[in-house]
């Protein structure tokens, strides 16, 4: 088996391989037992990704949603941050496509002091036949309405914000009312960020609790595309931290960042 040499292309390859395995599992098990399908999906994808990383990147550390958090990653120069199956609920529901595989690589800053950074990432959406990756970053999303990227110019200029379909943060309703925005429910965090990347929505705002694996790969792709990514207070999203909790997130076009951050700060 030949794998790509570059890290970004390898991340895409991993996302594709895990996605193919998950699609085959769905076909094999069907949807009559949602819990069994969820558990089997998490397991098969995690084991595939871990096995591939152990074989082709044996010197790298891994932080996975499905694995034990090995503290060796805190001293490592390279750490793969993976979510083998983001959106297990959607994965277990027949007909739903809003679930994803996340693969990202964090690298320590060796030539200068300070935290490391995300240097590669891929978000696979297997049921849609789509992989977005930093090896070939998507084009910057177009404005939804020429000259009217913020609400106030009629339906074409209405801001669209991706939110959780099952547990949207309560403050999002207030934010949407203040901005005259439309909330668009979706499943996986990777699918929500990808919707910003492709221009389906204008922003994704989350403050209901997440971990590094929920956002690392999507944020890597969004940054490669040129989008704004931050905490909801505007601070930097740092990865490979001792506590992997990273509870809030804002991803949007850069022309909307100040409007959204200003509104968020006053809620």
């Amino acid at each position: 088996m030949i794998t790509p040499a570059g890290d970004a292309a390898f991340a895409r390859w991993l996302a594709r391989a895990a996605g193919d395995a998950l699609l085959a599992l769905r076909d094999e098990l069907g949807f009559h037992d949602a819990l069994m399908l969820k558990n089997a999906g998490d397991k098969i994808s995690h084991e595939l990704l871990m096995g591939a990383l152990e074989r082709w990147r044996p010197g790298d550390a891994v932080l996975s949603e499905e694995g034990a958090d090995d503290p060796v990653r805190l001293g490592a120069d390279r750490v793969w941050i993976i979510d083998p199956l983001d959106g297990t609920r959607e994965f277990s529901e027949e007909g739903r496509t809003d679930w994803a595989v996340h693969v990202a690589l964090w690298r320590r800053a060796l030539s200068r002091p300070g935290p490391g950074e995300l240097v590669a990432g891929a978000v696979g959406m297997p049921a849609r036949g789509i992989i977005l990756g930093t090896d070939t970053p998507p084009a910057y999303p177009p404005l939804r309405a020429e000259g009217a990227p913020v609400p106030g110019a009629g339906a074409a200029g209405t801001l669209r914000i991706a939110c959780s379909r099952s547990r949207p943060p309560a403050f999002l309703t207030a934010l949407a009312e203040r901005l005259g925005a439309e909330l668009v429910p979706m499943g996986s965090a990777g699918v929500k960020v990808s919707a910003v990347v492709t221009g389906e929505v204008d922003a994704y705002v989350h403050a209901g609790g997440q971990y590094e694996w929920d956002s690392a790969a999507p944020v890597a792709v969004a940054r490669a595309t040129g989008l704004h990514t931050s905490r909801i207070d505007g601070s930097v999203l740092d990865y490979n931290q001792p506590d992997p909790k990273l509870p809030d997130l804002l991803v949007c076009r850069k022309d909307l960042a100040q409007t959204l951050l200003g509104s968020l700060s006053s809620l």
Side-chain angles (χ1 to χ4, degrees):
M1 183 181 298
I2 299 175
T3 62
D7 290 322
F10 184 57
R12 179 184 291 271
W13 183 89
L14 288 172
R16 186 183 305 279
D20 288 347
L22 288 166
L23 289 174
L25 182 70
R26 258 184 153 193
D27 289 341
E28 176 188 348
L29 297 183
F31 300 90
H32 66 282
D33 188 332
L35 181 58
M36 179 180 68
L37 183 57
K38 289 177 184 178
N39 291 338
D42 280 332
K43 184 175 187 294
I44 194 172
S45 185
H46 172 74
E47 290 179 351
L48 185 153
L49 292 171
M50 292 299 294
L53 288 168
E54 288 170 6
R55 179 175 179 181
W56 284 292
R57 297 293 190 275
D60 296 351
V62 182
L63 173 63
S64 171
E65 180 180 18
E66 301 305 319
D69 186 1
D70 187 345
V72 72
R73 67 178 175 84
L74 298 176
D77 291 334
R78 291 164 51 93
V79 181
W80 292 90
I81 303 175
I82 61 174
D83 190 341
L85 176 52
D86 187 51
T88 53
R89 175 177 175 177
E90 290 72 26
F91 174 74
S92 70
E93 296 179 10
E94 187 171 8
R96 295 209 69 94
T97 64
D98 49 344
W99 51 277
V101 176
H102 297 179
V103 180
L105 174 63
W106 174 95
R107 188 173 64 199
R108 188 176 305 281
L110 301 178
S111 60
R112 55 181 173 76
E117 58 186 350
L118 299 172
V119 295
V123 177
M125 293 167 279
R128 299 181 177 182
I130 297 171
I131 302 176
L132 302 180
T134 59
D135 56 336
T136 54
Y140 192 82
L143 298 180
R144 292 181 56 81
E146 184 65 31
V150 295
T158 299
L159 192 69
R160 305 187 79 211
I161 302 175
C163 68
S164 172
R165 61 181 285 250
S166 58
R167 48 186 185 279
F171 77 89
L172 267 185
T173 300
L175 178 66
E177 290 176 352
R178 173 170 295 186
L179 295 173
E182 175 188 358
L183 296 180
V184 183
M186 300 180 186
S188 157
V191 170
K192 297 185 190 79
V193 175
S194 295
V196 185
V197 170
T198 61
E200 179 184 349
V201 297
D202 303 291
Y204 171 40
V205 184
H206 182 81
Q210 286 184 343
Y211 292 83
E212 290 187 13
W213 47 75
D214 291 305
S215 65
V219 164
V221 174
R223 287 177 177 172
T225 304
L227 293 168
H228 169 90
T229 66
S230 72
R231 304 283 299 271
I232 62 171
D233 64 358
S235 59
V236 175
L237 292 157
D238 285 327
Y239 292 88
N240 195 35
Q241 299 300 299
D243 184 350
K245 290 181 180 177
L246 195 54
D248 56 80
L249 173 70
L250 169 63
V251 179
C252 65
R253 295 200 319 268
K254 287 186 174 179
D255 56 295
L256 298 175
Q258 290 308 310
T259 295
L260 286 165
L261 288 170
S263 295
L264 287 165
S265 69
S266 60
L267 286 178

